[in-house]
C-alpha cells in the first residue's frame, strides 16, 4: 500500500497536505507541529491567518460568524494549494463541512485529521493553557458547530486522550493507508 505523504523510506510522488482539524483545545497546534516534523514537511498555524479583528472578537468571547471566517479559510486554502504535490500540515478548526468544502475548492486532495475528544477533557486542556486568545467560554459554541467528517471526505478521526506522540503515530498510520493524493 502506498503512503499518502512522504515519510522516511517513502516513494510517494504526490505528498498530501494535511489539515489538522477539531474544536479549540484538542491539540491541533501540538499535533500539527509533531506530524509535520515526522513527515518532513512545513507546518502552518491557522491562527496566524486570522485578521486582528477576528482575534479581538474571539478574545472577547464572541464566536466568529461565517463572514468572519471566509477570508481566513481562503488564506489557509491558498497556503494549502501552494503546497500541493509537496506536502504540508496546517491546523484549522474546519468545524463545518462547508468550511472543509471551501478549503477543498482551493486545494483539492486535502486529508483531514480530525482530533476528537470529550468536552470535559478538552475543557481541562483549555483551562490549563496560557497565552491563547480562544477562551473556554467559546467551547460550547465550537462543539455545537462541529460537523464530524462525512464518509465521502478524505481523512480520519483520532481520539486525543492519549499523549500527542501516540496521536501522531495513529495519524501517520492512517496516512499510509489512505489512497494517494491526486496529481
Amino acid at each position: 500500500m502506498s503512503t499518502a505523504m512522504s515519510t522516511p523510506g517513502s516513494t510517494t510522488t504526490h505528498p498530501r497536505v494535511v489539515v489538522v482539524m477539531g474544536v479549540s483545545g484538542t491539540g491541533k497546534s501540538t499535533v500539527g507541529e509533531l506530524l509535520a516534523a515526522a513527515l518532513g514537511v512545513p507546518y502552518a498555524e491557522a491562527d496566524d491567518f486570522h485578521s486582528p479583528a477576528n482575534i479581538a472578537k474571539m478574545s472577547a468571547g464572541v464566536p466568529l460568524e461565517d463572514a468572519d471566517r471566509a477570508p481566513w479559510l481562503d488564506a489557509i486554502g491558498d497556503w494549502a494549494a501552494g503546497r500541493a504535490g509537496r506536502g504540508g500540515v496546517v491546523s484549522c478548526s474546519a468545524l463545518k463541512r462547508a468550511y472543509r468544502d471551501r478549503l477543498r475548492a482551493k486545494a483539492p486532495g486535502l486529508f483531514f485529521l480530525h482530533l476528537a475528544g470529550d468536552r470535559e477533557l478538552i475543557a481541562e486542556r483549555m483551562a490549563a493553557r496560557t497565552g491563547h486568545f480562544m477562551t473556554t467560554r467559546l467551547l460550547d459554541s465550537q462543539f455545537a458547530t462541529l460537523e464530524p467528517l462525512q464518509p465521502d471526505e478524505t481523512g480520519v478521526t483520532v481520539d486525543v486522550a492519549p499523549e500527542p506522540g501516540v496521536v501522531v503515530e495513529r495519524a501517520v498510520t492512517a496516512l499510509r493507508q489512505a489512497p494517494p493524493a491526486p496529481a
Side-chain angles (χ1 to χ4, degrees), residues 33-49:
E33 288 175 359
L34 291 171
L35 181 60
L39 299 171
V41 296
Y43 170 73
E45 170 59 54
D47 291 343
D48 294 342
F49 294 89

Side-chain angles (χ1 to χ4, degrees), residues 2 11 15 31 39 41 49 52 56 79 84 96 105 132 146 149 157 167 180-181:
S2 68
T11 58
V31 169
L39 299 171
V41 296
F49 294 89
W79 182 88
K96 289 184 180 180
H132 195 277
L146 177 64
L149 289 174
T157 299
V167 174

Side-chain angles (χ1 to χ4, degrees), residues 47 57 73 77 91 133 161 177 182:
D47 291 343
K57 238 180 156 172
L73 290 166
S91 61
F133 58 81
Q177 295 171 352

Side-chain angles (χ1 to χ4, degrees), residues 62-158:
V62 178
L64 297 180
E65 296 178 13
D66 286 352
D68 300 318
R69 288 187 183 94
W72 172 69
L73 290 166
D74 289 344
I76 294 168
D78 289 342
W79 182 88
R83 297 298 314 161
R86 299 181 296 150
V89 176
V90 60
S91 61
C92 175
S93 54
L95 298 176
K96 289 184 180 180
R97 169 69 186 250
Y99 304 160
R100 297 188 297 272
D101 288 345
R102 189 174 188 116
L103 292 170
R104 276 189 292 266
K106 292 266 188 178
L110 291 175
F111 184 95
F112 289 88
L113 172 60
H114 177 192
L115 301 182
D118 68 42
R119 191 200 179 288
E120 183 178 323
L121 172 67
I122 303 307
E124 286 175 17
R125 289 182 178 181
M126 284 183 78
R129 70 183 183 183
T130 58
H132 195 277
F133 58 81
M134 182 64 84
T135 69
T136 55
R137 293 180 293 173
L138 295 177
L139 189 56
D140 288 333
S141 73
Q142 292 242 313
F143 272 104
T145 302
L146 177 64
E147 297 172 1
L149 289 174
Q150 299 301 302
D152 65 327
E153 294 185 276
T154 303
V156 65
T157 299
V158 177

